[in-house]
Amino acid sequence: MSQSNYLSMATSFRAVLALSCILRIGLILYSEWHDAHSLVKYTDVDYRVFSDATHFLLNPGSGNRAQGPLGTWLNVGDPYTRATYRYTPLLSLLLAPNEWIHPSFGKYIFAGCDILAGVLIHSLLLSLGSQRVSSNPARKTGGPKAETRREDPLEDRRAYSTILAAVHLLSPFVFSISTRGSSESVLLLFVLGTLACALRGRWHAASALLGVAVHWKIYPVIYGVACIAAICQERAHAKGKTSPGAVIAQLWSRQAISFAVISAGTFFALGVAMFAIWGRPFLEETYLYHLHRRDHRHNFAPHFYLIYLTYPDGSGAVEAGAGGSRTWWRALLRSPLAGFVPQMVLAIGAGALLARRREDLVLAWFVQTAVFVIFNKVCTSQYFLWYLLFIPLLVPRLGISARRAVVCATVWAATQALWLSQAYRLEFLGEEVFAELWMCGLVYLLGHAWVLGAIIDVYDVTACKQQ
């Protein structure tokens, strides 16, 4: 391959990067104008929460001081003074330039994480293999045309990697969320970095990054199961043993134990440091709140309606049955375990069963995340980013026809559109359509679960073996 061709392919991805940067910068600049001239804001309300938390952290005062043992000594404020801030203090520290430079600086950070994630996706596709096997008749005949029409595999891989990376970088779903001020892109960069290290066999780095990701938001803990399963499977197969007992025995191997210890140690070290500075509010708002959270506001998850029906009204009337005693089914519906246990059993089980080798971690993490989101008791649009992140890396391993891909995409989008049609009636028209919205939530759950099953069904194990 000539140097000019290398330059041409490199420039192609640079063009995608340049377009991605210009698009995000333009949207951030537009958001400032839009917010100043419209009642309906472009900026996500969460961004205001982040910015307010940063202001409180950097400006300690009476009634606003970190409550941990080191908080007074460091003389820092408490980000949890801002109501509804339920994130790690590291996020408010990350947005410190909002106070020092410009209020929109955090959006540029989030958009930058989007860009870095796209670069990492492109790098992974190049290094781990992304080209599909083409059925070029000229290659099979071995005739003269085979020589003249032969395609360079590296060039194919570069072009295909650029296209798939562009799926992430130029996705309206991705760039709109980060430029509105959602912090999901920071977490997803940690997750993608963890996956990159795991796929390359750098287990110590992967375990440390996983600990950071779990500290940032708790759900990536499910990926640890898949990583340990992959480690155990590979070690057992290396010894020529494939029985379940031989795989389970590898749980006590040095590599599996070190992965668990490093990831858990990183998570607890960060947690202890945050607790030492910000005290009980950090523990309560960042982690414990999500255990007893009961969100009765409408969201994609059908759980909301049952929670809404059993939500206490302050007088205790909802909690009591006809005879004034609390009924068992209301107690079950109100229990956080009612939705959490099935969700975690499916997510953890998927990781343990699907991670047969390192190369399968892309599928395992995708399925784990999709299951976690689909069956979560609260689900909003930005949660879809958690599993859509893996699509560009998963596509080369899917033996799916164009027709079936269109059907899957249609079902995935149509079930959301159906739900949104009823949510609009409830939210903007004020119509009593709670039951209809709940039924649309059930359709969403079944539709997305069907799409997930279809993707698992077309996963090509041999593609991983060949790479």
Side-chain angles (χ1 to χ4, degrees), residues 243-398:
S243 66
V247 174
I248 294 174
Q250 295 303 315
L251 286 171
W252 311 111
S253 66
R254 181 177 179 180
Q255 194 173 39
I257 292 175
S258 66
F259 183 92
V261 169
I262 293 173
S263 57
T266 303
F267 170 75
F268 283 111
L270 287 170
V272 169
M274 298 299 104
F275 184 82
I277 299 173
W278 286 282
R280 179 74 183 185
F282 156 73
L283 196 61
E284 175 63 33
E285 300 294 341
T286 306
Y287 300 122
L288 300 181
Y289 164 79
H290 298 283
L291 295 178
H292 55 75
R293 174 184 182 183
R294 302 188 67 246
D295 197 328
H296 65 290
R297 297 293 296 172
H298 57 275
N299 61 82
F300 283 107
H303 304 64
F304 92 91
Y305 191 47
L306 302 179
I307 296 175
Y308 172 79
L309 293 175
T310 60
Y311 203 77
D313 61 0
S315 63
V318 177
E319 299 183 25
S325 61
R326 192 172 173 181
T327 56
W328 68 268
W329 65 270
R330 291 183 185 275
L332 177 63
L333 292 177
R334 295 197 64 194
S335 172
L337 298 178
F340 179 75
V341 171
Q343 174 194 32
M344 292 305 295
V345 168
L346 288 171
I348 292 174
L353 292 174
L354 296 176
R356 295 178 289 268
R357 62 184 75 81
R358 272 180 291 161
E359 293 83 357
D360 291 325
L361 286 177
V362 176
L363 174 70
W365 285 26
F366 170 79
V367 174
Q368 284 185 289
T369 314
V371 165
F372 187 91
V373 171
I374 292 170
F375 292 94
N376 198 34
K377 64 181 180 181
V378 178
C379 180
T380 60
S381 295
Q382 67 187 37
Y383 288 19
F384 300 147
L385 279 179
W386 296 355
Y387 62 81
L388 291 178
L389 174 74
F390 304 113
I391 290 293
L393 298 172
L394 190 61
V395 165
R397 297 172 168 86
L398 299 181

Side-chain angles (χ1 to χ4, degrees), residues 132-143 145-152 156:
R132 295 189 175 202
V133 179
S134 62
S135 55
N136 187 345
R139 293 185 183 185
K140 297 179 181 179
T141 61
K145 291 185 179 180
E147 291 297 322
T148 59
R149 297 181 59 184
R150 186 191 310 174
E151 298 177 2
D152 191 310
D156 290 347

Side-chain angles (χ1 to χ4, degrees), residues 305 418-419 422 425 432-441:
Y305 191 47
L418 179 65
W419 184 92
Q422 300 305 305
R425 294 175 61 192
E432 291 287 341
V433 291
F434 281 98
E436 291 89 338
L437 189 60
W438 173 67
M439 287 188 285
C440 289

Side-chain angles (χ1 to χ4, degrees), residues 359-360 363 394 397-398 455-461 464:
E359 293 83 357
D360 291 325
L363 174 70
L394 190 61
R397 297 172 168 86
L398 299 181
I455 291 174
I456 296 173
D457 187 51
V458 298
Y459 180 74
D460 187 1
V461 178
C464 296

Side-chain angles (χ1 to χ4, degrees), residues 3-87:
Q3 185 175 0
S4 62
N5 286 335
Y6 274 115
L7 181 60
S8 176
M9 296 309 302
T11 304
S12 174
F13 182 62
R14 287 174 186 158
V16 171
L17 281 180
L19 179 59
S20 302
C21 293
I22 293 171
L23 185 61
R24 285 163 172 78
I25 292 172
L27 284 172
I28 293 171
L29 293 174
Y30 166 76
S31 71
E32 297 178 12
W33 178 89
H34 180 96
D35 291 349
H37 294 83
S38 177
L39 292 176
V40 180
K41 308 301 182 185
Y42 179 87
T43 301
D44 195 311
V45 66
D46 283 345
Y47 188 72
R48 181 182 297 177
V49 174
F50 304 154
S51 300
D52 290 348
T54 298
H55 175 78
F56 283 120
L57 186 145
L58 297 177
N59 297 278
S62 177
N64 173 42
R65 292 192 182 278
Q67 300 181 29
L70 297 179
T72 304
W73 178 67
L74 292 173
N75 191 31
V76 295
D78 184 1
Y80 303 104
T81 301
R82 181 27 163 122
T84 72
Y85 182 78
R86 298 189 174 96
Y87 308 87

